[in-house]
Amino acid sequence: MEHSFDLQGCLDAIYARYPEAPCQPVIGITGNYTEQACKLAEGYYKSVVAAGGVPVIIPPVSDPGVILNTLCRLDGLILSGGGDHNPLWVGEQPSPKLGDVCGERDLPELLITQLAYNRQLPILGICRGIQTLAVALGGHVAQDIGDIQEVKHSQSADRTTPTHTVTIEQDSTLYRLYQESSLPSSFEGTGGKLFVNSFHHQAVSDAGPKFRVVARAVDGIIEAIESAEHKSILGVQWHPECLADGLPLFRWLVGEARSFREAQRLHDRTLTLDTHCDTPMFFSEGIRFDHRDPKILVDLHKMTEGRQDATIMVAYLPQPKDGKTFGECVPFPVAGPKAYADLIFDKIQAIVAENASYIALAATPDDLWRHKHQGLKSIMLGIENGLALEGDLANIAHFAQRGVVYITLCHNGDNDLCDSARGSSTHGGVSPFGADAIREMNRLGILVDLSHASEKSFYDALDISRVPIVCSHSSARALCDHPRNLTDDQMRALAAKGGVAQITIYNGFLRTDGAATIHDVLAHLDHAIQVMGIDHVGLGTDFDGDGGVPGLADSSELINFTRQLLARRYSAADIQKIWGGNFLRVMKLAQQEIVK
């Protein structure tokens, strides 16, 4: 818009151009602090605007409520440049060569960095900002690089002038950004060398486990880092906001922020259900579900950060072997399997009662939706291993009254209901008692879960059950040849009977070799959809039961799953089915049987 002294004319032009407010991602930029003033060089906010974002300056305030409320309104974050970090934050005494530090900035920026990281916000660190990433997230910063540098890193030239080169790793996001930009074609031909304008006294000396180094100066000084955990985080030592070719980094951040914003809005109208977590396995360790407890992968804070609405929390019962009794296999003294399951459910109920303002127990799909509209998280109850029935059909009614929504017939070992995928073919499939138990579960509205079952048990249960069955946490054997995974034939048979398979994220069920990542999870999901169709899939993480991979490491990262689905062009309707809609359809069918 051209400058004008006609205020009304400017307003009319705005309304003519934007009948509705354009939905652009909001990018927070941490402000510098000097002379009792919050300041920001114009290059930062002008670059954000040029990249299609809306810039907002964040003052250096360490009040937790202010920081959390700020993050709730942001789609991306820029950590801006400035002076040195106080080494006391990482337990070091100041070097005589330490530059000026700013006590007003350090704590607010370290807090906002850690909290933004936990909430999966896209982050771009610039100059001091790359060092902030390292200090806040487990890396290390050298207080002075004067004795080790062979290139002059503290320049007197104007910041618009490139002063030295860095070499960028060719398998990095950073390389791809510059390769795809309008830079001269010589960029790739020179092995990823980029002319930059770094200004620093301190420098990242150890990126830490959360990052990988992706660019260095010719003297080996670290010049760029990016997430090693498949998160949208980049840090560069140079000032792209001052360079003519710096816009690719801001376009990257705004693009990632747009994806994050879209995922958040989709979660507002989607019920996100993880159908299998084993958090009760840690109850004996004195966990705090209302804290961000490092011992567990699912707690209130992580569910909030990942925008997760609900989880099915199971009472896991190990199958005794080697002559051991059940009591020797569990951490609490109990009379038997049924009493142990009841003890776990009592502890879950106590957690819910202690946090009633934030979470509630649910037993039906309607409960889940009502809790979501009330702003509450939900926990549903499941049993992993029908050993809990103790051979008595009457116990199915007992657990139905407790609100149990599914029973996994077996675990890693044959029991009195059926043979396990890791068992010895004791019954040749489902036992006579197991068949009766399936019919009784049908009658009482409890889902039959065939994760862990042998193939023969799977097909037997599929024939016996008059209600669709589920596999609460199983992946695709075609991609990872493990007996716990489902063959394509099993998937097709499951879909033909209206059931669902919930892809799990246990490394050993995703890859036969190497470390799995979020991309392997999506590969298994894509395969299941190709075989079964979109109406028969979902996600059962197995968090706290050894589930979790980079990119989907705990509940806080579940919004990354949605972002990946959006990137693969799944529609909102499809994503709602994957995120629990399919599973809840089967649960509703099972519970309708109660009244027949």
Side-chain angles (χ1 to χ4, degrees), residues 173-195:
T173 297
L174 192 62
Y175 187 95
R176 176 180 58 79
L177 293 177
Y178 280 107
Q179 184 186 43
E180 294 173 354
S181 73
S182 57
L183 287 177
S185 58
S186 60
F187 174 73
E188 186 172 8
T190 57
K193 286 186 172 59
L194 185 69
F195 294 100

Side-chain angles (χ1 to χ4, degrees), residues 56-261:
V56 175
I57 300 173
I58 305 172
V61 177
S62 57
D63 181 280
V66 171
I67 292 175
L68 288 169
N69 275 278
T70 299
L71 289 172
C72 287
R73 291 159 173 81
L74 297 181
D75 305 308
L77 175 66
I78 292 176
L79 302 169
S80 66
D84 286 355
H85 290 85
N86 190 327
L88 293 176
W89 290 111
V90 291
E92 293 182 1
Q93 293 301 312
S95 161
K97 297 181 180 180
L98 182 69
D100 293 334
V101 298
C102 179
E104 197 77 17
R105 284 191 74 176
D106 281 355
L107 180 57
E109 289 194 353
L110 294 175
L111 287 173
I112 201 169
T113 300
Q114 180 67 68
L115 291 168
Y117 169 88
N118 291 345
R119 287 170 174 253
Q120 316 309 313
L121 256 74
I123 306 174
L124 173 61
I126 295 174
C127 193
R128 169 190 160 95
I130 185 180
Q131 298 161 21
T132 303
L133 287 170
V135 173
L137 299 173
H140 189 268
V141 169
Q143 294 187 43
D144 175 73
I145 61 171
D147 294 335
I148 58 175
Q149 64 180 341
E150 298 174 9
V151 172
K152 187 177 181 182
H153 289 274
S154 180
Q155 305 291 338
S156 57
D158 186 89
R159 293 194 177 188
T160 61
T161 303
T163 53
H164 70 287
T165 61
V166 298
T167 301
I168 301 176
E169 296 291 333
Q170 296 188 26
D171 63 344
S172 66
T173 297
L174 192 62
Y175 187 95
R176 176 180 58 79
L177 293 177
Y178 280 107
Q179 184 186 43
E180 294 173 354
S181 73
S182 57
L183 287 177
S185 58
S186 60
F187 174 73
E188 186 172 8
T190 57
K193 286 186 172 59
L194 185 69
F195 294 100
V196 301
N197 60 342
S198 296
F199 294 78
H200 51 173
H201 173 247
Q202 293 182 330
V204 174
S205 57
D206 178 6
K210 293 178 169 56
F211 295 100
R212 59 182 290 239
V213 176
V214 294
R216 293 181 184 268
V218 294
D219 55 2
I221 297 295
I222 295 173
E223 295 275 349
I225 61 177
E226 66 184 42
S227 174
E229 304 173 311
H230 301 271
K231 295 177 184 284
S232 301
I233 308 178
L234 278 174
V236 297
Q237 184 59 53
W238 61 89
H239 282 271
E241 78 281 4
C242 299
L243 295 173
D245 57 12
L247 201 55
L249 287 174
F250 294 93
R251 285 177 176 154
W252 167 83
L253 179 66
V254 170
E256 296 298 303
R258 185 175 289 111
S259 165
F260 181 72
R261 181 189 186 97

Side-chain angles (χ1 to χ4, degrees), residues 14 24 87 145 147 194 235 303 314 337 452 470 490 509 558 583:
I14 289 173
Q24 296 171 277
I145 61 171
D147 294 335
L194 185 69
M303 289 179 74
V314 300
H452 286 285
V470 300
Q490 284 178 288
F509 302 155
L558 288 176
F583 196 91

Side-chain angles (χ1 to χ4, degrees), residues 161-415:
T161 303
T163 53
H164 70 287
T165 61
V166 298
T167 301
I168 301 176
E169 296 291 333
Q170 296 188 26
D171 63 344
S172 66
T173 297
L174 192 62
Y175 187 95
R176 176 180 58 79
L177 293 177
Y178 280 107
Q179 184 186 43
E180 294 173 354
S181 73
S182 57
L183 287 177
S185 58
S186 60
F187 174 73
E188 186 172 8
T190 57
K193 286 186 172 59
L194 185 69
F195 294 100
V196 301
N197 60 342
S198 296
F199 294 78
H200 51 173
H201 173 247
Q202 293 182 330
V204 174
S205 57
D206 178 6
K210 293 178 169 56
F211 295 100
R212 59 182 290 239
V213 176
V214 294
R216 293 181 184 268
V218 294
D219 55 2
I221 297 295
I222 295 173
E223 295 275 349
I225 61 177
E226 66 184 42
S227 174
E229 304 173 311
H230 301 271
K231 295 177 184 284
S232 301
I233 308 178
L234 278 174
V236 297
Q237 184 59 53
W238 61 89
H239 282 271
E241 78 281 4
C242 299
L243 295 173
D245 57 12
L247 201 55
L249 287 174
F250 294 93
R251 285 177 176 154
W252 167 83
L253 179 66
V254 170
E256 296 298 303
R258 185 175 289 111
S259 165
F260 181 72
R261 181 189 186 97
E262 185 179 359
Q264 288 194 99
R265 292 195 168 192
L266 184 53
H267 277 232
D268 287 342
R269 60 185 191 273
T270 299
L271 200 147
T272 52
L273 170 67
D274 169 15
T275 60
H276 190 91
C277 90
D278 279 298
T279 305
M281 290 177 66
F282 289 83
F283 283 175
S284 61
E285 297 187 20
I287 62 163
R288 292 293 305 272
F289 196 76
D290 58 336
H291 285 49
R292 199 175 199 278
D293 194 323
K295 294 191 293 291
I296 53 178
L297 304 184
V298 183
D299 58 40
L300 271 176
H301 289 280
K302 296 185 187 80
M303 289 179 74
T304 298
E305 291 159 354
R307 303 295 294 271
Q308 179 185 358
D309 294 313
T311 187
I312 301 179
M313 200 171 278
V314 300
Y316 158 68
L317 289 83
Q319 188 70 28
K321 56 183 179 179
D322 300 328
K324 287 189 176 183
T325 66
F326 179 79
E328 293 175 300
C329 301
V330 293
F332 298 107
V334 291
K338 174 178 175 288
Y340 182 74
D342 278 330
L343 175 66
I344 294 300
F345 296 148
D346 289 344
K347 291 183 178 296
I348 293 172
Q349 285 183 323
I351 286 173
V352 170
E354 291 166 3
N355 300 280
S357 297
Y358 306 101
I359 198 159
L361 281 174
T364 70
D366 287 345
D367 289 343
L368 293 176
W369 278 109
R370 183 174 66 256
H371 294 163
K372 182 175 177 68
H373 294 317
Q374 293 171 342
L376 298 171
K377 305 295 183 190
S378 295
I379 293 178
M380 289 184 141
L381 305 180
I383 292 175
E384 188 172 23
N385 195 346
L387 187 69
L389 301 181
E390 295 185 342
D392 188 348
L393 293 179
N395 286 329
I396 297 176
H398 167 78
F399 288 122
Q401 290 172 354
R402 292 220 63 162
V404 168
V405 297
Y406 72 66
I407 297 175
T408 313
L409 293 191
C410 62
H411 194 251
N412 290 337
D414 301 344
N415 61 15

